[in-house]
Amino acid sequence: MKDNPFSLWVYLSQSPLLWLTVTLLVYAGTDAVSLATRRHPLANPVLHAMWIIGAFLLLTGTTYTTYFAGAQFVHFLLKPATVALAVPLYENRKRVVSSIVPMLVALIAGSVTAVASVVLLAELAGLPRDVVLSLSPKSVTAGVAMGIAESLHADPSLAAVAVILTGIMGAIIVTPLMNRTGITDYRARGFAAGLAAHGIGTAQAFQVDEIAGVFSGIAMSLNALVTSFLVPLAVTLLVR
C-alpha cells in the first residue's frame, strides 16, 4: 500500500459494504438538509442523493454494477417498505372507505391523463416509436413501468429513467401546486401525489401528513394496475 497510495481505495471500492455505507450516508445528509429547510420541495433528498452519488461514481470511475452490489440491500428493503404501507392504511380504513367514489373518479381521470398526455406530447415532438412506448408508463413504479415497456418491446431502462424523473419532478411540484390552487384536503393532495409521482411522491406525502401518505399509497397501487391496462390501449389508438 505504501508503493501505491490508491491500493487501499481499489480494495475498498470492490467491497459492497462501502457502497451501502455511501448510499446511507449521502441520503442521511440530504435528508438532514431537507429537514433543516422544513421539507422545502427543492430540497428533496432523493433528487440530491441521486446526483451526489452519480457524481461520486463518475469521479471515481466506478461502474453501476459495482455500486449496486452494495446498494442492492437498500433496494431489497423497498419490498417490505411497500408492504408496510398497509399499516397506516388499515388504521385509517374508515376514511378510505368513505372516499371510495371520488377516489375511483380521480383514479380514472388521472391515469388516462398521465398516459394520454405523454403519448400525445411525445408524438407531437416527433419522438421515435420506441421512445414513446418507453415513456408511456412514466407515472407508475419502476418495476411495473419496466415490465410494461418490456411487454411492448420498448426500452425498460429508458422507462425506468422516465419514472424516476417523473417522481422527482412530481414530488417537487405537488406541494407548491396544491398550495397555489388552494387544495387543503390532505386526501386529495396525497392521492394526486401518488397518482402522478408514485413512490417518490408517496414518500413526500408522508413527510407532509400521514393522511396524505395513506391516500398517496392507495393511488400509487391502483394506478399501477390501471396503467397496465391503459398503456396497451393507448399504444393501439394513439401511437403511429
Side-chain angles (χ1 to χ4, degrees), residues 57-119:
L57 296 180
L58 185 63
L59 290 173
T60 58
T62 304
T63 64
Y64 179 77
T65 303
T66 301
Y67 165 74
F68 192 70
Q72 64 179 328
F73 298 107
V74 177
H75 183 265
F76 170 78
L77 293 175
L78 287 174
K79 296 178 182 179
T82 302
V83 174
L85 291 174
V87 176
L89 173 59
Y90 178 78
E91 293 175 346
N92 294 276
R93 60 191 181 279
K94 291 184 179 179
R95 288 193 179 189
V96 172
V97 171
S98 65
S99 305
I100 285 181
V101 174
M103 277 198 302
L104 290 177
V105 174
L107 173 65
I108 299 302
S111 297
V112 171
T113 301
V115 175
S117 61
V118 70
V119 170

Side-chain angles (χ1 to χ4, degrees), residues 5-6 10 33 42 53 58 69 72 77 101 109 111 113 123 138 154-155 190 211 213 226 236:
F6 297 105
V10 172
V33 172
L42 292 178
I53 292 176
L58 185 63
Q72 64 179 328
L77 293 175
V101 174
S111 297
T113 301
E123 284 280 288
K138 64 174 180 55
D155 187 351
I211 296 300
V226 174
T236 302

Side-chain angles (χ1 to χ4, degrees), residues 28-40:
T30 55
D31 189 58
V33 172
S34 175
L35 186 61
T37 61
R38 298 182 180 180
R39 300 299 182 188
H40 191 282

Side-chain angles (χ1 to χ4, degrees), residues 11-228:
Y11 171 75
L12 290 176
S13 65
Q14 301 304 313
S15 171
L17 182 59
L18 172 66
W19 300 114
L20 174 62
T21 304
V22 167
T23 301
L24 295 177
L25 288 178
V26 171
Y27 185 82
T30 55
D31 189 58
V33 172
S34 175
L35 186 61
T37 61
R38 298 182 180 180
R39 300 299 182 188
H40 191 282
L42 292 178
N44 185 280
V46 176
L47 168 63
H48 296 291
M50 184 175 67
W51 74 259
I52 290 172
I53 292 176
F56 187 67
L57 296 180
L58 185 63
L59 290 173
T60 58
T62 304
T63 64
Y64 179 77
T65 303
T66 301
Y67 165 74
F68 192 70
Q72 64 179 328
F73 298 107
V74 177
H75 183 265
F76 170 78
L77 293 175
L78 287 174
K79 296 178 182 179
T82 302
V83 174
L85 291 174
V87 176
L89 173 59
Y90 178 78
E91 293 175 346
N92 294 276
R93 60 191 181 279
K94 291 184 179 179
R95 288 193 179 189
V96 172
V97 171
S98 65
S99 305
I100 285 181
V101 174
M103 277 198 302
L104 290 177
V105 174
L107 173 65
I108 299 302
S111 297
V112 171
T113 301
V115 175
S117 61
V118 70
V119 170
L120 290 174
L121 288 173
E123 284 280 288
L124 288 174
L127 297 179
R129 177 183 172 84
D130 289 347
V131 175
V132 177
L133 297 180
S134 299
L135 295 178
S136 57
K138 64 174 180 55
S139 292
V140 298
T141 56
V144 176
M146 293 175 71
I148 294 174
E150 191 171 356
S151 69
L152 297 173
H153 305 291
D155 187 351
S157 299
L158 180 57
V161 171
V163 167
I164 294 171
L165 291 177
T166 299
I168 290 174
M169 289 190 293
I172 291 174
I173 293 171
V174 64
T175 298
L177 180 62
M178 294 295 173
N179 291 340
R180 182 64 63 89
T181 55
I183 298 175
T184 57
D185 190 330
Y186 280 115
R187 296 174 299 175
R189 292 170 71 111
F191 201 83
L195 197 61
H198 49 83
I200 299 176
T202 298
Q204 175 73 14
F206 268 111
Q207 290 177 345
V208 174
D209 183 84
E210 181 178 317
I211 296 300
V214 168
F215 279 81
S216 183
I218 295 172
M220 175 184 69
S221 303
L222 294 179
N223 189 39
L225 178 62
V226 174
T227 301
S228 299

